[in-house]
Amino acid sequence: MQRTRNTQLAAFWAIPTIVAGAALLATSRSVAEGPGSGDDGRTNREHLSPIAWSSKQWRAACGGLRTSYNPDHDLSDTELTLVPGDERWVDFVYWTLNNKIAEHQVEEYGGTEWDGPTGGVVFHWAPGSHWERDTLASFGFTIGHTIGEHRWMDTMFPDFFEKYGGVYGINVKDRITEIDPDSPTVWVEFLQHIGGATSPYYRYLFHQEVLVDPTLQEVHLIGGQGVAFTYSFERYYHELREVLTDCRAADFFRMYDMYGHGFAADGDWAHQGPADYSLSGAGYHDALGEPRERYDPNPPPVDVPADLREAEAMRRGKDIYLAQCAVCHGIQGEGSGFLAEGFDVPPRDFTRGVYAFRSTVDRERPKIEDIERVVRAGVPGTTMPAWGQFLSDEQIADVSRYLVVFSESFTEDWRAEAEPELLVIPAQPADMAALVERGKGIAEKLNCASCHGTSGRGDGPSAPTLKNDWEQHVSPGDWTYKWSFRGGYEAENIYRSVWGTLTGSGMPEFADAVPDETDRWAVVAYVMSFCTGERPALRLVDYPDERQTRIGANGRVLPREQ
């Protein structure tokens, strides 16, 4: 049975090619553009506009053109080399916004009316323009973009999730993982629902820029369903390079040379006399922002030392990591991929070798099986996907081993074949309910309420200032909603989280203070006592009348008042 599942996943999910021109990390492959075929064998869709240009047309248009940006060479049609930090950048941002170049729609798996390759999610860019094209995005990028940046919740799509029991007020990634953690089937259904040719969401969820703030060097955007979010200029570069190359920005370079610095970014530069409130409302500012260091979008990836055991598996894992994981965790594993700045929960920094979800004692490195388990199942309440839906067991094992090389200490332990100390979990008492009061007294002595609050909702007095090992703000667990526990909510999972400690999370180590096994289980019983009822769900029939009162401030569906 497992072999059949892995075969199906391998056939379904082909890792997208990761090199686009000189780029080491390509979010997606360009697979359709322009009417008819170009000179590169790309395919097309019926609804791609007749005005869209092929690669052949673009190269014909920019061939031989010389500007101040390329005085002695042709403009590249394989990469976008204009990056934040260049003196032209702010004008370039305004120029792209006015041409609506980065506007796009997330489509279904394989795309709407699509006759091109599969193995990804089609993004449809810049409709109705010469720049119109389609790219085939990795699922790592798609989930990071829609869940991490757009913050898609199941409550935004109650019509889809009705057949699965209604909505809970959790992110779409978690909801789909709960429905089917082992296959991509529900993802395919969902993408067809929101991105298919007849979907009511097709244009409504269109991602589009609203205004630019050159002082803060940010772009503000909307994406339908009340979604608003912000990109740094560096993040926006990665959006633009999905559509543009230097060649395809030829008009900008011409105009920049013709009109000069500030032609697109300075409001009222020709003294046409608009009202001040119109200029400010549209996002025009006099200041072009302070110059910053030139952005490098392609740092070198981390290679696998040849002397490591399972080095070949690690090298295979490197290809998977760059195609699927680096957009969030960073090419060099430091947790700062170009999507990461938009996430509420930052991606893991692998360079320290510190992992929260382990079968080992506090501050020990994890077993490789621990990493595989997290990669396979994902992490609730974050953007981390359940890769068991998309990757085979072999691919999960390979990419898990590649994560080792990001940390020098982990690499040395791996080389030495050092075994970490395991957390021993004793047998669970038969009557956990009888231990609740005992656990309450221990929790009070440990001052758990300082973070988790007396009601267990994660609203204790220390919660606003709680930080993890990376000095990032973190929120304590809400014990009243066990389904949000990132390490799992079964008794053994909670035991492991409390007494093995979620290392790096900001949670203190308590094992030495509570050595007695029964006392430890008593604290577990106390935590579990905060959430004993059924999970609140909102059904479609009740949605119009109850949406305002039953979706709480944190987005979760509340129980119906009795």
Side-chain angles (χ1 to χ4, degrees):
M1 180 66 73
Q2 186 62 53
R3 179 173 296 178
T4 300
R5 171 185 172 271
N6 288 342
T7 301
Q8 290 173 338
L9 286 175
F12 177 89
W13 195 255
I15 302 287
T17 303
I18 62 170
V19 177
L24 287 167
L25 172 63
T27 300
S28 58
R29 295 175 289 178
S30 173
V31 287
E33 53 185 18
S37 61
D39 56 0
D40 49 11
R42 289 171 178 161
T43 56
N44 195 12
R45 298 180 312 183
E46 294 179 7
H47 74 226
L48 209 61
S49 166
I51 200 173
W53 281 7
S54 68
S55 293
K56 186 175 182 179
Q57 289 173 295
W58 279 112
R59 285 195 290 269
C62 73
L65 174 69
R66 294 292 180 266
T67 71
S68 61
Y69 190 73
N70 63 314
D72 55 5
H73 62 277
D74 281 353
L75 292 166
S76 168
D77 195 34
T78 61
E79 61 179 327
L80 178 65
T81 63
L82 181 61
V83 297
D86 188 286
E87 65 178 3
R88 303 167 181 82
W89 177 256
V90 178
D91 279 314
F92 183 59
V93 170
Y94 278 92
W95 178 81
T96 59
L97 185 144
N98 279 286
N99 280 295
K100 301 184 182 299
I101 289 173
E103 292 189 356
H104 67 265
Q105 168 67 32
V106 181
E107 295 196 345
E108 59 187 298
Y109 172 80
T112 298
E113 302 174 9
W114 178 249
D115 62 358
T118 58
V121 180
V122 172
F123 280 54
H124 182 193
W125 301 86
S129 72
H130 290 323
W131 296 280
E132 185 174 3
R133 70 190 312 193
D134 302 293
T135 56
L136 193 66
S138 73
F139 233 92
F141 172 80
T142 302
I143 292 177
H145 181 55
T146 60
I147 307 305
E149 293 184 318
H150 285 241
R151 294 171 173 81
W152 280 4
M153 305 285 284
D154 64 350
T155 40
M156 295 165 62
F157 309 99
D159 50 342
F160 176 79
F161 290 105
E162 177 63 18
K163 63 183 177 181
Y164 295 110
V167 293
Y168 299 144
I170 61 177
N171 73 48
V172 165
K173 181 267 301 181
D174 287 345
R175 188 73 176 94
I176 292 177
T177 300
E178 291 181 7
I179 295 167
D180 185 352
D182 299 318
S183 104
T185 302
V186 183
W187 269 112
V188 174
E189 293 176 357
F190 174 73
L191 289 166
Q192 183 176 11
H193 181 79
I194 61 99
T198 61
S199 170
Y201 297 105
Y202 183 72
R203 290 286 297 188
Y204 180 57
L205 295 178
F206 219 69
H207 164 130
Q208 49 197 308
E209 297 79 358
V210 177
L211 57 86
V212 182
D213 187 328
T215 304
L216 295 179
Q217 304 192 30
E218 295 175 338
V219 181
H220 301 285
L221 310 98
I222 58 173
Q225 293 289 68
V227 168
F229 49 103
T230 301
Y231 284 167
S232 68
F233 279 177
E234 287 77 11
R235 168 64 183 93
Y236 193 55
Y237 163 81
H238 288 274
E239 202 88 335
L240 294 176
R241 80 173 186 180
E242 293 298 296
V243 189
L244 291 175
T245 60
D246 291 348
C247 173
R248 298 172 195 220
D251 287 346
F252 168 76
F253 295 121
R254 289 192 189 99
M255 295 176 76
Y256 187 89
D257 286 354
M258 183 187 307
Y259 296 120
H261 187 64
F263 84 94
D266 282 351
D268 197 30
W269 67 271
H271 302 293
Q272 59 268 50
D276 288 343
Y277 68 83
S278 297
L279 287 170
S280 61
Y284 284 112
H285 298 264
D286 292 332
L288 284 175
E290 294 296 323
R292 62 171 65 184
E293 183 178 349
R294 185 177 177 84
Y295 176 54
D296 178 9
N298 299 308
V302 178
D303 291 328
V304 177
D307 65 327
L308 291 185
R309 56 190 170 94
E310 302 191 71
E312 184 57 36
M314 290 177 170
R315 281 189 282 271
R316 293 193 302 267
K318 175 183 175 182
D319 290 341
I320 298 168
Y321 179 88
L322 291 176
Q324 302 289 357
C325 313
V327 291
C328 298
H329 293 282
I331 292 176
Q332 298 179 335
E334 71 282 60
S336 59
F338 68 82
L339 293 180
E341 66 184 30
F343 295 177
D344 293 328
V345 180
R348 176 63 53 175
D349 173 359
F350 298 123
T351 62
R352 296 193 189 184
V354 174
Y355 292 77
F357 310 110
R358 313 165 326 282
S359 60
T360 59
V361 298
D362 185 38
R363 297 293 162 184
E364 272 281 12
R365 69 169 176 82
K367 292 177 66 66
I368 198 67
E369 293 82 4
D370 296 331
I371 300 178
E372 290 176 358
R373 184 172 58 251
V374 175
V375 172
R376 180 176 292 106
V379 181
T382 75
T383 310
M384 174 67 181
W387 285 107
Q389 294 174 313
F390 313 113
L391 300 179
S392 69
D393 288 344
E394 180 183 22
Q395 290 172 317
I396 289 172
D398 290 347
V399 74
S400 298
R401 282 156 177 76
Y402 179 61
L403 302 185
V404 171
V405 306
F406 290 119
S407 165
E408 291 184 10
S409 60
F410 204 161
T411 300
E412 289 308 310
D413 283 348
W414 185 267
R415 184 177 282 116
E417 300 188 37
E419 287 297 322
E421 181 184 352
L422 297 180
L423 175 70
V424 177
I425 300 180
Q428 180 181 335
D431 188 1
M432 291 286 284
L435 295 175
V436 171
E437 285 302 314
R438 179 173 174 175
K440 179 180 179 181
I442 298 168
E444 288 175 350
K445 291 179 181 178
L446 296 175
N447 197 23
C448 297
S450 65
C451 293
H452 295 280
T454 55
S455 63
R457 298 186 180 279
D459 56 356
S462 298
T465 58
L466 186 63
K467 294 184 178 181
N468 61 16
D469 282 10
W470 292 266
E471 293 298 310
Q472 300 161 331
H473 174 68
V474 291
S475 299
D478 180 353
W479 294 347
T480 69
Y481 198 81
K482 64 183 180 182
W483 303 278
S484 66
F485 291 3
R486 291 174 187 164
Y489 59 81
E490 300 298 336
E492 182 175 313
N493 302 136
I494 298 172
Y495 188 102
R496 184 180 294 111
S497 296
V498 175
W499 306 116
T501 310
L502 300 174
T503 303
S505 69
M507 180 176 175
E509 189 274 328
F510 294 118
D512 291 342
V514 185
D516 183 80
E517 293 180 1
T518 304
D519 285 345
R520 291 184 175 186
W521 278 117
V523 172
V524 172
Y526 175 61
V527 172
M528 295 177 68
S529 72
F530 282 86
C531 184
T532 58
E534 294 184 1
R535 191 175 197 175
L538 181 57
R539 304 306 296 257
L540 188 59
V541 67
D542 301 316
Y543 200 85
D545 294 331
E546 298 184 3
R547 176 177 64 87
Q548 295 288 350
T549 57
R550 293 196 54 209
I551 298 179
N554 60 5
R556 294 187 193 133
V557 172
L558 304 173
R560 181 180 284 110
E561 293 183 2
Q562 302 299 321

